[in-house]
Amino acid sequence: QVQLVESGGGLVQAGGSLRLSCAASGSIVSIDSMGWYRQAPGKQRELVAVITSGGSPNYADSVKGRFTISRDNAKNTVYLQMNSLKPEDTAVYYCNSRDLRTYSGSIYPDYWGQGTQVTVSS
């Protein structure tokens, strides 16, 4: 059974930092891109950052210069270092994988974690 398990969310004051982690498990052969999305109350889910298997990142304009995405392919894990946090960063953060392939031959084109809450107080 494939799983994406996020960790690292919490409550932080404005200007502070948090590091999110997302570990994929389940006899995984490869994962194309991995990324982070977020959803604030009453808003649609939006892209935060994605990174390809080759390590090329892409960021939402709202987080450029403050957030850094990275991944460890050997551990099937993606990270999101969030610095200079703002109250508007408050949301549930979801891990996403694209084109996840397992040794059993299964392909998961678009897979999501359960989400982790990030709350930034002013």
Side-chain angles (χ1 to χ4, degrees), residues 62-95:
S62 59
V63 307
K64 281 180 181 177
R66 300 188 297 123
F67 292 9
T68 302
I69 190 170
S70 60
R71 67 187 281 179
D72 184 332
N73 290 333
K75 296 181 179 179
N76 293 316
T77 300
V78 64
Y79 307 94
L80 186 68
Q81 177 66 43
M82 304 186 293
N83 298 329
S84 302
L85 282 160
K86 304 175 181 180
E88 51 263 44
D89 294 318
T90 295
V92 177
Y93 283 69
Y94 295 91
C95 179

PDB file of all heavy atoms in Angstrom, residues 62-95:
ATOM      1  N   SER A  62       4.317  33.623  -4.384  1.00  0.00           N
ATOM      2  CA  SER A  62       4.106  34.079  -3.012  1.00  0.00           C
ATOM      3  C   SER A  62       5.129  33.528  -2.018  1.00  0.00           C
ATOM      4  O   SER A  62       5.254  34.052  -0.911  1.00  0.00           O
ATOM      5  CB  SER A  62       2.698  33.694  -2.551  1.00  0.00           C
ATOM      6  OG  SER A  62       2.524  32.295  -2.607  1.00  0.00           O
ATOM      7  N   VAL A  63       5.856  32.483  -2.402  1.00  0.00           N
ATOM      8  CA  VAL A  63       6.815  31.876  -1.465  1.00  0.00           C
ATOM      9  C   VAL A  63       8.257  31.962  -1.950  1.00  0.00           C
ATOM     10  O   VAL A  63       9.176  31.561  -1.229  1.00  0.00           O
ATOM     11  CB  VAL A  63       6.458  30.409  -1.158  1.00  0.00           C
ATOM     12  CG1 VAL A  63       5.009  30.289  -0.690  1.00  0.00           C
ATOM     13  CG2 VAL A  63       6.713  29.506  -2.351  1.00  0.00           C
ATOM     14  N   LYS A  64       8.455  32.473  -3.146  1.00  0.00           N
ATOM     15  CA  LYS A  64       9.824  32.572  -3.684  1.00  0.00           C
ATOM     16  C   LYS A  64      10.702  33.401  -2.754  1.00  0.00           C
ATOM     17  O   LYS A  64      10.302  34.462  -2.280  1.00  0.00           O
ATOM     18  CB  LYS A  64       9.797  33.206  -5.072  1.00  0.00           C
ATOM     19  CG  LYS A  64       9.384  32.259  -6.174  1.00  0.00           C
ATOM     20  CD  LYS A  64       9.389  32.961  -7.531  1.00  0.00           C
ATOM     21  CE  LYS A  64       8.949  32.012  -8.639  1.00  0.00           C
ATOM     22  NZ  LYS A  64       8.867  32.690  -9.953  1.00  0.00           N
ATOM     23  N   GLY A  65      11.889  32.898  -2.506  1.00  0.00           N
ATOM     24  CA  GLY A  65      12.820  33.590  -1.635  1.00  0.00           C
ATOM     25  C   GLY A  65      12.642  33.271  -0.165  1.00  0.00           C
ATOM     26  O   GLY A  65      13.498  33.629   0.659  1.00  0.00           O
ATOM     27  N   ARG A  66      11.529  32.623   0.189  1.00  0.00           N
ATOM     28  CA  ARG A  66      11.278  32.287   1.594  1.00  0.00           C
ATOM     29  C   ARG A  66      11.259  30.776   1.821  1.00  0.00           C
ATOM     30  O   ARG A  66      11.671  30.303   2.875  1.00  0.00           O
ATOM     31  CB  ARG A  66       9.933  32.875   2.046  1.00  0.00           C
ATOM     32  CG  ARG A  66       9.854  34.376   1.937  1.00  0.00           C
ATOM     33  CD  ARG A  66       8.566  34.894   2.590  1.00  0.00           C
ATOM     34  NE  ARG A  66       7.361  34.424   1.940  1.00  0.00           N
ATOM     35  CZ  ARG A  66       6.404  33.753   2.560  1.00  0.00           C
ATOM     36  NH1 ARG A  66       6.489  33.478   3.850  1.00  0.00           N
ATOM     37  NH2 ARG A  66       5.317  33.359   1.891  1.00  0.00           N
ATOM     38  N   PHE A  67      10.742  30.029   0.860  1.00  0.00           N
ATOM     39  CA  PHE A  67      10.620  28.571   0.983  1.00  0.00           C
ATOM     40  C   PHE A  67      11.627  27.887   0.071  1.00  0.00           C
ATOM     41  O   PHE A  67      11.940  28.382  -1.017  1.00  0.00           O
ATOM     42  CB  PHE A  67       9.220  28.114   0.582  1.00  0.00           C
ATOM     43  CG  PHE A  67       8.111  28.529   1.506  1.00  0.00           C
ATOM     44  CD1 PHE A  67       8.314  29.427   2.546  1.00  0.00           C
ATOM     45  CD2 PHE A  67       6.844  28.001   1.341  1.00  0.00           C
ATOM     46  CE1 PHE A  67       7.288  29.802   3.392  1.00  0.00           C
ATOM     47  CE2 PHE A  67       5.790  28.359   2.179  1.00  0.00           C
ATOM     48  CZ  PHE A  67       6.025  29.273   3.198  1.00  0.00           C
ATOM     49  N   THR A  68      12.105  26.742   0.512  1.00  0.00           N
ATOM     50  CA  THR A  68      13.015  25.931  -0.291  1.00  0.00           C
ATOM     51  C   THR A  68      12.545  24.484  -0.272  1.00  0.00           C
ATOM     52  O   THR A  68      12.360  23.895   0.796  1.00  0.00           O
ATOM     53  CB  THR A  68      14.448  25.997   0.246  1.00  0.00           C
ATOM     54  OG1 THR A  68      14.888  27.364   0.259  1.00  0.00           O
ATOM     55  CG2 THR A  68      15.391  25.186  -0.636  1.00  0.00           C
ATOM     56  N   ILE A  69      12.358  23.932  -1.477  1.00  0.00           N
ATOM     57  CA  ILE A  69      11.969  22.528  -1.600  1.00  0.00           C
ATOM     58  C   ILE A  69      13.195  21.704  -1.962  1.00  0.00           C
ATOM     59  O   ILE A  69      14.066  22.159  -2.718  1.00  0.00           O
ATOM     60  CB  ILE A  69      10.847  22.347  -2.636  1.00  0.00           C
ATOM     61  CG1 ILE A  69      10.276  20.924  -2.585  1.00  0.00           C
ATOM     62  CG2 ILE A  69      11.320  22.713  -4.042  1.00  0.00           C
ATOM     63  CD1 ILE A  69       8.997  20.744  -3.402  1.00  0.00           C
ATOM     64  N   SER A  70      13.280  20.516  -1.397  1.00  0.00           N
ATOM     65  CA  SER A  70      14.373  19.596  -1.713  1.00  0.00           C
ATOM     66  C   SER A  70      13.855  18.169  -1.594  1.00  0.00           C
ATOM     67  O   SER A  70      12.769  17.942  -1.047  1.00  0.00           O
ATOM     68  CB  SER A  70      15.568  19.812  -0.780  1.00  0.00           C
ATOM     69  OG  SER A  70      15.191  19.589   0.570  1.00  0.00           O
ATOM     70  N   ARG A  71      14.599  17.225  -2.126  1.00  0.00           N
ATOM     71  CA  ARG A  71      14.177  15.834  -2.018  1.00  0.00           C
ATOM     72  C   ARG A  71      15.376  14.919  -1.922  1.00  0.00           C
ATOM     73  O   ARG A  71      16.471  15.242  -2.404  1.00  0.00           O
ATOM     74  CB  ARG A  71      13.269  15.433  -3.182  1.00  0.00           C
ATOM     75  CG  ARG A  71      13.925  15.393  -4.529  1.00  0.00           C
ATOM     76  CD  ARG A  71      12.891  15.153  -5.630  1.00  0.00           C
ATOM     77  NE  ARG A  71      12.489  13.759  -5.744  1.00  0.00           N
ATOM     78  CZ  ARG A  71      11.593  13.311  -6.605  1.00  0.00           C
ATOM     79  NH1 ARG A  71      10.969  14.156  -7.419  1.00  0.00           N
ATOM     80  NH2 ARG A  71      11.286  12.022  -6.660  1.00  0.00           N
ATOM     81  N   ASP A  72      15.136  13.777  -1.314  1.00  0.00           N
ATOM     82  CA  ASP A  72      16.126  12.713  -1.202  1.00  0.00           C
ATOM     83  C   ASP A  72      15.523  11.516  -1.925  1.00  0.00           C
ATOM     84  O   ASP A  72      14.641  10.834  -1.393  1.00  0.00           O
ATOM     85  CB  ASP A  72      16.390  12.402   0.272  1.00  0.00           C
ATOM     86  CG  ASP A  72      17.483  11.371   0.479  1.00  0.00           C
ATOM     87  OD1 ASP A  72      17.687  10.523  -0.422  1.00  0.00           O
ATOM     88  OD2 ASP A  72      18.108  11.385   1.542  1.00  0.00           O
ATOM     89  N   ASN A  73      15.981  11.271  -3.127  1.00  0.00           N
ATOM     90  CA  ASN A  73      15.397  10.192  -3.938  1.00  0.00           C
ATOM     91  C   ASN A  73      15.623   8.814  -3.313  1.00  0.00           C
ATOM     92  O   ASN A  73      14.784   7.932  -3.452  1.00  0.00           O
ATOM     93  CB  ASN A  73      15.971  10.224  -5.350  1.00  0.00           C
ATOM     94  CG  ASN A  73      15.473  11.418  -6.137  1.00  0.00           C
ATOM     95  OD1 ASN A  73      14.399  11.948  -5.887  1.00  0.00           O
ATOM     96  ND2 ASN A  73      16.277  11.866  -7.097  1.00  0.00           N
ATOM     97  N   ALA A  74      16.742   8.653  -2.641  1.00  0.00           N
ATOM     98  CA  ALA A  74      17.028   7.356  -2.024  1.00  0.00           C
ATOM     99  C   ALA A  74      16.029   7.043  -0.909  1.00  0.00           C
ATOM    100  O   ALA A  74      15.726   5.883  -0.641  1.00  0.00           O
ATOM    101  CB  ALA A  74      18.444   7.346  -1.464  1.00  0.00           C
ATOM    102  N   LYS A  75      15.514   8.094  -0.278  1.00  0.00           N
ATOM    103  CA  LYS A  75      14.548   7.916   0.813  1.00  0.00           C
ATOM    104  C   LYS A  75      13.120   8.192   0.361  1.00  0.00           C
ATOM    105  O   LYS A  75      12.191   8.120   1.171  1.00  0.00           O
ATOM    106  CB  LYS A  75      14.901   8.842   1.975  1.00  0.00           C
ATOM    107  CG  LYS A  75      16.234   8.541   2.636  1.00  0.00           C
ATOM    108  CD  LYS A  75      16.499   9.496   3.790  1.00  0.00           C
ATOM    109  CE  LYS A  75      17.813   9.185   4.467  1.00  0.00           C
ATOM    110  NZ  LYS A  75      18.096  10.137   5.592  1.00  0.00           N
ATOM    111  N   ASN A  76      12.938   8.535  -0.894  1.00  0.00           N
ATOM    112  CA  ASN A  76      11.606   8.893  -1.400  1.00  0.00           C
ATOM    113  C   ASN A  76      10.943   9.942  -0.519  1.00  0.00           C
ATOM    114  O   ASN A  76       9.761   9.828  -0.157  1.00  0.00           O
ATOM    115  CB  ASN A  76      10.714   7.652  -1.521  1.00  0.00           C
ATOM    116  CG  ASN A  76      11.188   6.682  -2.572  1.00  0.00           C
ATOM    117  OD1 ASN A  76      11.553   7.088  -3.676  1.00  0.00           O
ATOM    118  ND2 ASN A  76      11.201   5.406  -2.239  1.00  0.00           N
ATOM    119  N   THR A  77      11.707  10.934  -0.168  1.00  0.00           N
ATOM    120  CA  THR A  77      11.253  11.962   0.764  1.00  0.00           C
ATOM    121  C   THR A  77      11.451  13.344   0.159  1.00  0.00           C
ATOM    122  O   THR A  77      12.472  13.602  -0.476  1.00  0.00           O
ATOM    123  CB  THR A  77      12.008  11.849   2.096  1.00  0.00           C
ATOM    124  OG1 THR A  77      11.761  10.556   2.670  1.00  0.00           O
ATOM    125  CG2 THR A  77      11.558  12.915   3.072  1.00  0.00           C
ATOM    126  N   VAL A  78      10.463  14.199   0.381  1.00  0.00           N
ATOM    127  CA  VAL A  78      10.547  15.583  -0.052  1.00  0.00           C
ATOM    128  C   VAL A  78      10.419  16.476   1.172  1.00  0.00           C
ATOM    129  O   VAL A  78       9.707  16.143   2.123  1.00  0.00           O
ATOM    130  CB  VAL A  78       9.467  15.900  -1.108  1.00  0.00           C
ATOM    131  CG1 VAL A  78       8.058  15.772  -0.543  1.00  0.00           C
ATOM    132  CG2 VAL A  78       9.674  17.282  -1.707  1.00  0.00           C
ATOM    133  N   TYR A  79      11.132  17.584   1.139  1.00  0.00           N
ATOM    134  CA  TYR A  79      11.154  18.507   2.261  1.00  0.00           C
ATOM    135  C   TYR A  79      10.726  19.898   1.803  1.00  0.00           C
ATOM    136  O   TYR A  79      10.896  20.261   0.635  1.00  0.00           O
ATOM    137  CB  TYR A  79      12.567  18.603   2.853  1.00  0.00           C
ATOM    138  CG  TYR A  79      13.178  17.276   3.225  1.00  0.00           C
ATOM    139  CD1 TYR A  79      14.002  16.601   2.336  1.00  0.00           C
ATOM    140  CD2 TYR A  79      12.917  16.696   4.456  1.00  0.00           C
ATOM    141  CE1 TYR A  79      14.566  15.378   2.669  1.00  0.00           C
ATOM    142  CE2 TYR A  79      13.476  15.472   4.805  1.00  0.00           C
ATOM    143  CZ  TYR A  79      14.295  14.824   3.911  1.00  0.00           C
ATOM    144  OH  TYR A  79      14.844  13.609   4.247  1.00  0.00           O
ATOM    145  N   LEU A  80      10.212  20.671   2.736  1.00  0.00           N
ATOM    146  CA  LEU A  80       9.898  22.064   2.463  1.00  0.00           C
ATOM    147  C   LEU A  80      10.388  22.883   3.649  1.00  0.00           C
ATOM    148  O   LEU A  80       9.811  22.801   4.738  1.00  0.00           O
ATOM    149  CB  LEU A  80       8.395  22.275   2.254  1.00  0.00           C
ATOM    150  CG  LEU A  80       8.002  23.694   1.826  1.00  0.00           C
ATOM    151  CD1 LEU A  80       8.509  23.981   0.405  1.00  0.00           C
ATOM    152  CD2 LEU A  80       6.482  23.877   1.878  1.00  0.00           C
ATOM    153  N   GLN A  81      11.454  23.629   3.425  1.00  0.00           N
ATOM    154  CA  GLN A  81      11.956  24.537   4.452  1.00  0.00           C
ATOM    155  C   GLN A  81      11.241  25.866   4.277  1.00  0.00           C
ATOM    156  O   GLN A  81      11.334  26.481   3.213  1.00  0.00           O
ATOM    157  CB  GLN A  81      13.467  24.725   4.315  1.00  0.00           C
ATOM    158  CG  GLN A  81      14.065  25.705   5.305  1.00  0.00           C
ATOM    159  CD  GLN A  81      13.982  25.211   6.735  1.00  0.00           C
ATOM    160  OE1 GLN A  81      14.240  24.044   7.027  1.00  0.00           O
ATOM    161  NE2 GLN A  81      13.609  26.101   7.652  1.00  0.00           N
ATOM    162  N   MET A  82      10.543  26.295   5.315  1.00  0.00           N
ATOM    163  CA  MET A  82       9.751  27.518   5.246  1.00  0.00           C
ATOM    164  C   MET A  82      10.323  28.537   6.222  1.00  0.00           C
ATOM    165  O   MET A  82      10.327  28.305   7.438  1.00  0.00           O
ATOM    166  CB  MET A  82       8.288  27.216   5.593  1.00  0.00           C
ATOM    167  CG  MET A  82       7.674  26.140   4.723  1.00  0.00           C
ATOM    168  SD  MET A  82       5.909  25.897   5.024  1.00  0.00           S
ATOM    169  CE  MET A  82       5.951  25.238   6.691  1.00  0.00           C
ATOM    170  N   ASN A  83      10.825  29.620   5.688  1.00  0.00           N
ATOM    171  CA  ASN A  83      11.405  30.700   6.497  1.00  0.00           C
ATOM    172  C   ASN A  83      10.569  31.969   6.340  1.00  0.00           C
ATOM    173  O   ASN A  83       9.780  32.098   5.409  1.00  0.00           O
ATOM    174  CB  ASN A  83      12.840  30.970   6.073  1.00  0.00           C
ATOM    175  CG  ASN A  83      13.748  29.781   6.267  1.00  0.00           C
ATOM    176  OD1 ASN A  83      13.566  28.969   7.174  1.00  0.00           O
ATOM    177  ND2 ASN A  83      14.749  29.663   5.395  1.00  0.00           N
ATOM    178  N   SER A  84      10.779  32.900   7.243  1.00  0.00           N
ATOM    179  CA  SER A  84      10.070  34.194   7.193  1.00  0.00           C
ATOM    180  C   SER A  84       8.578  33.987   7.019  1.00  0.00           C
ATOM    181  O   SER A  84       7.938  34.624   6.169  1.00  0.00           O
ATOM    182  CB  SER A  84      10.635  35.052   6.052  1.00  0.00           C
ATOM    183  OG  SER A  84      12.018  35.267   6.223  1.00  0.00           O
ATOM    184  N   LEU A  85       8.023  33.108   7.813  1.00  0.00           N
ATOM    185  CA  LEU A  85       6.611  32.764   7.673  1.00  0.00           C
ATOM    186  C   LEU A  85       5.708  33.947   7.983  1.00  0.00           C
ATOM    187  O   LEU A  85       6.018  34.787   8.847  1.00  0.00           O
ATOM    188  CB  LEU A  85       6.269  31.586   8.569  1.00  0.00           C
ATOM    189  CG  LEU A  85       6.709  30.229   8.008  1.00  0.00           C
ATOM    190  CD1 LEU A  85       6.803  29.182   9.098  1.00  0.00           C
ATOM    191  CD2 LEU A  85       5.763  29.780   6.913  1.00  0.00           C
ATOM    192  N   LYS A  86       4.605  34.003   7.258  1.00  0.00           N
ATOM    193  CA  LYS A  86       3.627  35.079   7.397  1.00  0.00           C
ATOM    194  C   LYS A  86       2.274  34.469   7.799  1.00  0.00           C
ATOM    195  O   LYS A  86       2.010  33.301   7.488  1.00  0.00           O
ATOM    196  CB  LYS A  86       3.469  35.819   6.073  1.00  0.00           C
ATOM    197  CG  LYS A  86       4.760  36.379   5.503  1.00  0.00           C
ATOM    198  CD  LYS A  86       4.515  36.986   4.130  1.00  0.00           C
ATOM    199  CE  LYS A  86       5.803  37.532   3.526  1.00  0.00           C
ATOM    200  NZ  LYS A  86       5.574  38.123   2.175  1.00  0.00           N
ATOM    201  N   PRO A  87       1.422  35.252   8.417  1.00  0.00           N
ATOM    202  CA  PRO A  87       0.091  34.720   8.754  1.00  0.00           C
ATOM    203  C   PRO A  87      -0.656  34.173   7.542  1.00  0.00           C
ATOM    204  O   PRO A  87      -1.408  33.199   7.671  1.00  0.00           O
ATOM    205  CB  PRO A  87      -0.620  35.931   9.361  1.00  0.00           C
ATOM    206  CG  PRO A  87       0.487  36.749   9.944  1.00  0.00           C
ATOM    207  CD  PRO A  87       1.643  36.587   9.001  1.00  0.00           C
ATOM    208  N   GLU A  88      -0.433  34.762   6.382  1.00  0.00           N
ATOM    209  CA  GLU A  88      -1.110  34.276   5.180  1.00  0.00           C
ATOM    210  C   GLU A  88      -0.586  32.939   4.692  1.00  0.00           C
ATOM    211  O   GLU A  88      -1.147  32.355   3.760  1.00  0.00           O
ATOM    212  CB  GLU A  88      -1.039  35.319   4.049  1.00  0.00           C
ATOM    213  CG  GLU A  88       0.341  35.843   3.763  1.00  0.00           C
ATOM    214  CD  GLU A  88       0.620  37.165   4.467  1.00  0.00           C
ATOM    215  OE1 GLU A  88       0.274  37.300   5.669  1.00  0.00           O
ATOM    216  OE2 GLU A  88       1.199  38.053   3.813  1.00  0.00           O
ATOM    217  N   ASP A  89       0.466  32.428   5.294  1.00  0.00           N
ATOM    218  CA  ASP A  89       0.938  31.075   4.983  1.00  0.00           C
ATOM    219  C   ASP A  89       0.148  30.014   5.747  1.00  0.00           C
ATOM    220  O   ASP A  89       0.337  28.819   5.521  1.00  0.00           O
ATOM    221  CB  ASP A  89       2.423  30.926   5.331  1.00  0.00           C
ATOM    222  CG  ASP A  89       3.319  31.795   4.465  1.00  0.00           C
ATOM    223  OD1 ASP A  89       3.076  31.870   3.246  1.00  0.00           O
ATOM    224  OD2 ASP A  89       4.262  32.394   5.021  1.00  0.00           O
ATOM    225  N   THR A  90      -0.709  30.438   6.639  1.00  0.00           N
ATOM    226  CA  THR A  90      -1.514  29.502   7.415  1.00  0.00           C
ATOM    227  C   THR A  90      -2.419  28.687   6.502  1.00  0.00           C
ATOM    228  O   THR A  90      -3.165  29.238   5.697  1.00  0.00           O
ATOM    229  CB  THR A  90      -2.373  30.256   8.448  1.00  0.00           C
ATOM    230  OG1 THR A  90      -1.514  30.893   9.395  1.00  0.00           O
ATOM    231  CG2 THR A  90      -3.312  29.304   9.180  1.00  0.00           C
ATOM    232  N   ALA A  91      -2.311  27.375   6.609  1.00  0.00           N
ATOM    233  CA  ALA A  91      -3.079  26.472   5.740  1.00  0.00           C
ATOM    234  C   ALA A  91      -2.775  25.033   6.123  1.00  0.00           C
ATOM    235  O   ALA A  91      -1.859  24.772   6.913  1.00  0.00           O
ATOM    236  CB  ALA A  91      -2.708  26.692   4.276  1.00  0.00           C
ATOM    237  N   VAL A  92      -3.531  24.125   5.543  1.00  0.00           N
ATOM    238  CA  VAL A  92      -3.163  22.716   5.575  1.00  0.00           C
ATOM    239  C   VAL A  92      -2.257  22.471   4.371  1.00  0.00           C
ATOM    240  O   VAL A  92      -2.626  22.808   3.244  1.00  0.00           O
ATOM    241  CB  VAL A  92      -4.390  21.799   5.524  1.00  0.00           C
ATOM    242  CG1 VAL A  92      -3.953  20.339   5.495  1.00  0.00           C
ATOM    243  CG2 VAL A  92      -5.306  22.063   6.711  1.00  0.00           C
ATOM    244  N   TYR A  93      -1.108  21.901   4.626  1.00  0.00           N
ATOM    245  CA  TYR A  93      -0.133  21.636   3.579  1.00  0.00           C
ATOM    246  C   TYR A  93      -0.183  20.159   3.197  1.00  0.00           C
ATOM    247  O   TYR A  93      -0.086  19.284   4.072  1.00  0.00           O
ATOM    248  CB  TYR A  93       1.264  22.020   4.049  1.00  0.00           C
ATOM    249  CG  TYR A  93       1.494  23.509   4.026  1.00  0.00           C
ATOM    250  CD1 TYR A  93       0.828  24.354   4.909  1.00  0.00           C
ATOM    251  CD2 TYR A  93       2.361  24.086   3.108  1.00  0.00           C
ATOM    252  CE1 TYR A  93       1.011  25.725   4.883  1.00  0.00           C
ATOM    253  CE2 TYR A  93       2.563  25.468   3.069  1.00  0.00           C
ATOM    254  CZ  TYR A  93       1.879  26.275   3.963  1.00  0.00           C
ATOM    255  OH  TYR A  93       2.068  27.639   3.922  1.00  0.00           O
ATOM    256  N   TYR A  94      -0.337  19.916   1.896  1.00  0.00           N
ATOM    257  CA  TYR A  94      -0.469  18.557   1.377  1.00  0.00           C
ATOM    258  C   TYR A  94       0.742  18.196   0.515  1.00  0.00           C
ATOM    259  O   TYR A  94       1.169  18.981  -0.337  1.00  0.00           O
ATOM    260  CB  TYR A  94      -1.720  18.430   0.524  1.00  0.00           C
ATOM    261  CG  TYR A  94      -3.007  18.622   1.272  1.00  0.00           C
ATOM    262  CD1 TYR A  94      -3.600  19.870   1.377  1.00  0.00           C
ATOM    263  CD2 TYR A  94      -3.642  17.537   1.888  1.00  0.00           C
ATOM    264  CE1 TYR A  94      -4.784  20.046   2.067  1.00  0.00           C
ATOM    265  CE2 TYR A  94      -4.838  17.711   2.572  1.00  0.00           C
ATOM    266  CZ  TYR A  94      -5.390  18.973   2.659  1.00  0.00           C
ATOM    267  OH  TYR A  94      -6.568  19.142   3.343  1.00  0.00           O
ATOM    268  N   CYS A  95       1.217  17.004   0.729  1.00  0.00           N
ATOM    269  CA  CYS A  95       2.271  16.438  -0.110  1.00  0.00           C
ATOM    270  C   CYS A  95       1.633  15.770  -1.325  1.00  0.00           C
ATOM    271  O   CYS A  95       0.555  15.154  -1.220  1.00  0.00           O
ATOM    272  CB  CYS A  95       3.057  15.422   0.702  1.00  0.00           C
ATOM    273  SG  CYS A  95       4.384  14.595  -0.182  1.00  0.00           S
TER     274      CYS A  95
END
